Amino acid sequence: MTYQLQLTQLDGYCRVNFPAMACLCEVLIDTSDLQQALALGELARSETQRIERKYSRYRKDNIVAEINQADGRTVTLDDETAGLIEFAAELYDLSEGRFDITSGLLRQAWTFDGSDRLPPAATVEALLNNIGWSRVRWQPPQLTLQPGMEIDLGGIGKEYAVDRVYAELEQAFNGAFLVNFGGDLRARGPRADGSQWQIGVEKVSAGQVELIELGTAAVATSGDSQRFLLRDGVRYSHILDPRSGWPVTDAPRAVTVVASSCLQAGIFSTLALMMGSEAEEFLAAQDVQFWSMR
Amino acid sequence: MLKTTLVVLAVVGLCGCSTVKPWERDLLAKPQMALDSDPLQTAFEDHIYFSKEASSGGRGFGGGGCGCN
Amino acid sequence: MQLKNKQIGKRLTLATSALLGSLQAQAADYWEVSSALLMYSEADDRVQAVEPVLNLSRQFDDESSINVRVIYDALTGSSPNGAMPASVAQTFTSASAAARIEQAEEDDDEEELEKYGDRGSYTIAPGDLPLDPSFEDNRTVLSLGWTRPLSNGYTMNLGGAYSSEGDFTSFSVNGALARDFNNKATTVSLGLNLEADSINPNGGVPTALTMYGAGNTDGSDDTKQVVDLMLGVTQVMNRRWLMQFNLGLSQSSGYQNDPYKILTVVNDGNLIVNPDDPESYLYLFENRPEDRQKMSFFWQNKVAIGADDVIDVGYRYMTDDWSVNSHTLDLTYHWQISEGLYLEPHYRYYRQSAADFYTPFLNAGSEVEVVGSSVTALVDEASSDPRLGAFSADTMGLKVGLALGSSSELSLRYEVYQQHDDNSLKAVAAGSHLDGMSQFAELSASWVQLGYTFRW
């Protein structure tokens, strides 16, 4: 059944579900007022859909399509998009080139289907000519890509949506709530009865779930669960290093990080995977709570 | 415990209010946009004008706590 | 440094805050220390003040914050005693200085005697504004504030202040409740302030409208109570425009007089010899109503210009039951020259009407009955305090701010203040002592403010 929004009254709180961002979006609201929960759920859904429409790389009528089809022309961005691009530019710098919104083209070479089919090195090499944030001219709010280059905000889009929906709900509602988009989530607590939201985190190995109490914080998980390639005993994660065009090896299967915003948690967990065998060392240096599963 | 389940299939009409979105609050968030951007300066001025003029307060309480009646 | 060991948290937090707006609660794990020094100076050797301030504030994880402020204020110089300038020399015996001398003699305090010995009485040359040279006071203020969000969407603010001077003590407590509406675009707040003051003038509380020098007092101290109520609305108009409206009501009751201010009494414009003391002229202590109700309306606009500049326009209207109405217009432009440097030119215009009992002097016959040595005021209230007269005033200033690193700022501000007399002239007989004399002393003052803020 296709549906647009589902409202469920649970014990002392309400849950709103809606499909968006290629995952199940869920919002828990600490109220027993169904009208209020519905209104807040609508708010969450409309903000999520707005972001999805605006930044999905699968659409032909949004700002991402306009940038990617500019063919060398300069595109002047609106404030929100300029903010996202500026954020991505800062991440590129912070991560020493590991986080790069121009690296989406590598998907043309790599298909992570659990098989052992690695692409030919020449194919990857050719793609690298059109990859690299350093080749982009970014004079806010004006963005100029070389012809053939593309940007993809998929790496931060879902986390951004969680934080945006959180901000909308925070303003519209005074109680506790939790925004969960396929495991990337952000909560405000405690609930009116004094309890905290409980979330399950898979730790160490799949199947072992640890329940943690989340106050006002965010959680994001990055992992390769079913998306990897296996060849000659080497596991290639779906996390590609844009500097080489090749997947990171020896990365944890999944990394879950707690931070104050979903974007931060998501960046930490993504960067940790990119650090491969040094993932845990990197996270420990960041002074954040994390779980890594190898 | 599940009490009730409601499935809403229709989309509820959206509120058309125009408000300043959070990402548009970049300017409002700057320190120079604070209503009282330099509280110590405000305190100095309030005290000076309280002691020289018949009016006080407005922005905040106009007491003054000053013997300069 | 390799990424694996590099702390990226701070830059990531900053980048995220920039993207998501200011909404992300930033746990400010530091004390913000603001300090400032004010050097205030009035023209013609009138009041000089040096006022250092230290302010400490801290935000906690639960979005509550505390604020502690200490102000010290050292005042010296001379202050108008309320008497008119006249074409003859006038000698005054300062009750306050006399009381200090008496106390110093009692304590055998040589230093204090040296300081005031020649100021117990002072003589003002013909044509000069009578200024009491013994004006000296130190004021210490301690104030505390606590703000905390309540679970139901309200924000609560509680505070208190204590202020002490040689002859004045003030206690106040205040509370306010604010609530956000409309996606935080609107904030409504309601606040209450209660203040209790105690006045103990040097030489006792002079009996109102009795002869200066006669030494009539109504005890050694008196009190005043003030209740302030304020309703405020803050509205985000659009991305660049923030507006605030405040409506304030204030009720003050008790001792409102300035115990050191006197009024000249004249007969057809000529000074009258004091019937008790042939060496001096006749002056009466002032008197003001025991109650005062004020209402103020305040409207402020902050408008962002370009990326970093801001126009600040404020207007205040105040009216009270002493017939004082005032208009204040305040304009500031924040001009961000570079990331670490800004200039703020400032202009303020102020105009007030006179209190209905304001008068530069009293006329014998119609306002004061002088029969032999019996002097009786025929008016209930009278004050020549220039603060209660009609005048307008301009303030012009410039502030320079310099960022020192990311967490500290240095600022310097210079302001010039000039009053302009708007009172209608009170009639004076031609050729008399007061003929041609200024009936309102226009005040000129300037001040320099040095500020330094850092995180600790």
Side-chain angles (χ1 to χ4, degrees):
Chain A
M1 181 172 73
T2 61
Y3 66 100
Q4 291 179 302
L5 193 133
Q6 179 180 354
L7 173 67
T8 311
Q9 189 176 46
L10 295 157
D11 189 14
Y13 64 95
C14 292
R15 182 175 69 204
V16 178
N17 304 81
F18 51 89
M21 302 226 138
C23 69
L24 182 68
C25 298
E26 172 189 69
V27 178
L28 305 183
I29 298 157
D30 191 24
T31 180
S32 48
D33 180 342
L34 290 171
Q35 286 301 319
Q36 187 181 30
L38 181 60
L40 294 169
E42 256 314 310
L43 184 68
R45 195 186 66 107
S46 69
E47 177 65 2
T48 308
Q49 290 187 335
R50 183 190 70 80
I51 293 168
E52 186 172 23
R53 273 197 299 272
K54 192 166 174 182
Y55 297 115
S56 166
R57 67 169 182 267
Y58 302 109
R59 294 180 74 101
K60 296 278 163 268
D61 58 351
N62 63 11
I63 182 71
V64 173
E66 190 187 337
I67 291 167
N68 291 341
Q69 289 157 16
D71 197 29
R73 287 187 309 272
T74 297
V75 180
T76 302
L77 305 182
D78 64 277
D79 289 343
E80 186 185 18
T81 309
L84 277 164
I85 296 296
E86 183 62 27
F87 181 69
E90 177 73 357
L91 284 182
Y92 176 81
D93 191 38
L94 261 180
S95 66
E96 294 163 1
R98 289 174 180 83
F99 185 96
D100 193 332
I101 54 170
T102 65
S103 66
L105 285 175
L106 288 170
R107 266 190 312 270
Q108 294 177 5
W110 294 90
T111 311
F112 297 95
D113 52 7
S115 72
D116 64 350
R117 290 189 296 273
L118 299 184
T123 311
V124 175
E125 207 56 42
L127 285 172
L128 283 180
N129 288 329
N130 282 328
I131 291 171
W133 178 253
S134 53
R135 299 166 197 255
V136 166
R137 205 160 65 93
W138 170 232
Q139 289 174 318
Q142 294 187 318
L143 181 67
T144 319
L145 300 189
Q146 292 176 15
M149 289 185 78
E150 279 185 11
I151 63 154
D152 175 5
L153 293 171
I156 50 175
K158 197 163 67 161
E159 291 88 345
Y160 175 67
V162 169
D163 284 333
R164 284 288 322 123
V165 168
Y166 178 92
E168 289 282 327
L169 296 179
E170 187 186 36
Q171 296 198 343
F173 180 58
N174 294 320
F177 61 88
L178 186 146
V179 182
N180 175 13
F181 288 6
D184 291 334
L185 57 94
R186 185 163 174 191
R188 181 162 83 174
R191 294 179 51 199
D193 63 8
S195 67
Q196 299 286 12
W197 296 110
Q198 290 206 330
I199 64 159
V201 178
E202 273 190 308
K203 60 172 204 175
V204 192
S205 64
Q208 276 192 321
V209 175
E210 181 185 348
L211 274 183
I212 63 164
E213 293 203 330
L214 196 66
T216 298
V219 173
T221 300
S222 298
D224 65 0
S225 49
Q226 304 306 313
R227 299 169 64 199
F228 60 91
L229 294 172
L230 197 62
R231 175 142 170 182
D232 303 332
V234 178
R235 186 187 169 99
Y236 296 89
S237 76
H238 82 291
I239 305 282
L240 294 160
D241 189 328
R243 298 171 302 176
S244 65
W246 280 69
V248 177
T249 55
D250 295 326
R253 302 267 295 279
V255 168
T256 300
V257 179
V258 180
S260 58
S261 69
C262 198
L263 273 166
Q264 279 165 287
I267 301 301
F268 277 133
S269 60
T270 306
L271 280 183
L273 288 189
M274 290 189 145
M275 301 302 291
S277 58
E278 293 168 337
E280 289 83 1
E281 201 181 338
F282 164 76
L283 287 171
Q286 303 310 321
D287 220 7
V288 291
Q289 192 183 2
F290 70 94
W291 294 266
S292 97
M293 187 171 80
R294 284 195 172 266
Chain B
M1 188 183 77
L2 201 70
K3 274 184 183 162
T4 333
T5 302
L6 287 178
V7 179
V8 180
L9 297 163
V11 178
V12 183
L14 294 174
C15 159
C17 3
S18 90
T19 50
V20 177
K21 298 287 181 194
W23 67 82
E24 295 173 343
R25 295 202 183 206
D26 52 342
L27 293 171
L28 298 173
K30 287 181 188 280
Q32 59 263 39
M33 275 299 275
L35 285 165
D36 189 2
S37 49
D38 188 342
L40 294 186
Q41 175 175 308
T42 306
F44 280 144
E45 288 198 344
D46 283 353
H47 184 218
I48 290 170
Y49 294 127
F50 178 86
S51 65
K52 302 297 161 198
E53 298 173 349
S55 312
S56 63
R59 180 193 292 277
F61 296 119
C66 162
C68 37
N69 246 348
Chain C
M1 196 191 292
Q2 279 192 303
L3 183 61
K4 66 172 177 176
N5 299 321
K6 195 165 82 174
Q7 278 257 345
I8 62 165
K10 261 186 195 144
R11 268 180 73 189
L12 183 57
T13 304
L14 275 176
T16 317
S17 305
L19 176 60
L20 297 174
S22 61
L23 289 164
Q24 197 188 0
Q26 284 215 45
D29 200 18
Y30 51 80
W31 282 94
E32 184 167 281
V33 183
S34 301
S35 57
L37 179 69
L38 178 77
M39 284 159 289
Y40 171 88
S41 160
E42 292 177 2
D44 308 321
D45 291 333
R46 284 164 67 175
V47 177
Q48 315 285 314
V50 177
E51 192 173 338
V53 179
L54 186 68
N55 194 90
L56 301 171
S57 63
R58 181 162 194 151
Q59 281 213 332
F60 298 97
D61 287 343
D62 60 354
E63 290 177 51
S64 69
S65 64
I66 56 167
N67 195 78
V68 181
R69 185 179 296 177
V70 184
I71 305 177
Y72 180 75
D73 191 3
L75 297 145
T76 53
S78 21
S79 174
N81 68 8
M84 279 283 294
S87 60
V88 290
Q90 303 179 74
T91 297
F92 300 90
T93 306
S94 159
S96 90
R100 284 185 186 196
I101 291 163
E102 200 175 309
Q103 186 64 44
E105 275 171 349
E106 223 167 83
D107 300 347
D108 219 12
D109 188 339
E110 292 285 337
E111 200 183 325
E112 191 81 350
L113 271 175
E114 180 106 356
K115 219 154 132 190
Y116 292 105
D118 58 346
R119 290 198 232 165
S121 70
Y122 53 94
T123 301
I124 301 299
D128 283 0
L129 176 72
L131 296 170
D132 182 344
S134 69
F135 184 72
E136 182 167 329
D137 217 334
N138 297 321
R139 186 177 70 120
T140 310
V141 185
L142 175 70
S143 68
L144 301 168
W146 181 47
T147 304
R148 101 160 257 216
L150 301 177
S151 55
N152 48 3
Y154 287 87
T155 303
M156 177 192 69
N157 195 319
L158 293 176
Y162 169 75
S163 161
S164 168
E165 294 168 52
D167 52 4
F168 185 86
T169 311
S170 170
F171 264 112
S172 67
V173 288
N174 60 69
L177 207 55
R179 185 162 191 207
D180 295 326
F181 293 96
N182 200 2
N183 281 2
K184 283 191 180 168
T186 310
T187 305
V188 177
S189 71
L190 186 66
L192 178 72
N193 182 60
L194 304 174
E195 180 184 325
D197 298 340
S198 150
I199 303 103
N200 54 328
N202 296 312
V205 180
T207 307
L209 299 173
T210 62
M211 266 196 295
Y212 172 73
N216 297 319
T217 59
D218 292 338
S220 63
D221 57 350
D222 210 331
T223 60
K224 182 175 78 179
Q225 293 78 39
V226 186
V227 180
D228 289 292
L229 198 65
M230 183 159 285
L231 177 70
V233 178
T234 306
Q235 178 69 45
V236 174
M237 303 300 291
N238 58 42
R239 185 171 169 236
R240 303 189 158 271
W241 184 11
L242 185 63
M243 198 187 258
Q244 182 180 37
F245 296 99
N246 284 341
L247 184 67
L249 295 172
S250 173
Q251 160 76 44
S252 171
S253 49
Y255 189 77
Q256 315 264 4
N257 297 352
D258 182 330
Y260 308 119
K261 288 262 192 292
I262 56 176
L263 289 122
T264 302
V265 183
V266 291
N267 191 2
D268 289 334
N270 287 315
L271 299 178
I272 301 168
V273 173
N274 185 331
D276 288 351
D277 176 9
E279 302 286 300
S280 84
Y281 295 104
L282 178 61
Y283 308 97
L284 297 188
F285 281 106
E286 66 155 50
N287 191 37
R288 308 180 188 186
E290 291 207 333
D291 288 294
R292 185 179 185 189
Q293 281 166 9
K294 295 195 282 188
M295 194 188 80
S296 67
F297 170 76
F298 175 72
W299 180 36
Q300 189 187 6
N301 292 278
K302 300 277 288 203
V303 181
I305 306 291
D308 292 300
D309 291 4
V310 177
I311 292 178
D312 184 332
V313 184
Y315 168 76
R316 175 185 64 178
Y317 174 72
M318 195 221 68
T319 181
D320 71 7
D321 59 357
W322 289 1
S323 300
V324 177
N325 300 311
S326 76
H327 301 273
T328 312
L329 184 71
D330 200 293
L331 299 168
T332 304
Y333 190 82
H334 178 94
W335 178 23
Q336 194 77 39
I337 292 168
S338 69
E339 203 177 318
L341 179 70
Y342 67 82
L343 278 184
E344 279 184 5
H346 170 231
Y347 174 73
R348 176 185 187 267
Y349 175 77
Y350 176 78
R351 195 180 77 197
Q352 73 175 43
S353 61
D356 45 21
F357 54 88
Y358 170 81
T359 181
F361 58 88
L362 293 169
N363 280 314
S366 60
E367 292 165 321
V368 181
E369 189 180 60
V370 185
V371 181
S373 64
S374 151
V375 177
T376 314
L378 301 175
V379 290
D380 292 329
E381 287 110 12
S383 173
S384 61
D385 187 344
R387 281 169 75 195
L388 299 173
F391 66 89
S392 58
D394 296 297
T395 310
M396 269 179 284
L398 185 68
K399 181 179 179 182
V400 187
L402 188 66
L404 307 170
S406 61
S407 58
S408 66
E409 188 191 294
L410 192 66
S411 69
L412 182 70
R413 192 176 197 231
Y414 179 68
E415 300 256 295
V416 181
Y417 177 76
Q418 177 64 54
Q419 290 183 347
H420 311 281
D421 183 7
D422 285 344
N423 297 285
S424 47
L425 215 58
K426 191 163 177 175
V428 174
S432 67
H433 289 156
L434 298 193
D435 186 23
M437 294 296 154
S438 162
Q439 298 186 353
F440 181 90
E442 291 177 341
L443 177 75
S444 304
S446 63
W447 55 91
V448 176
Q449 175 200 320
L450 190 65
Y452 180 57
T453 298
F454 64 100
R455 284 165 186 182
W456 185 43

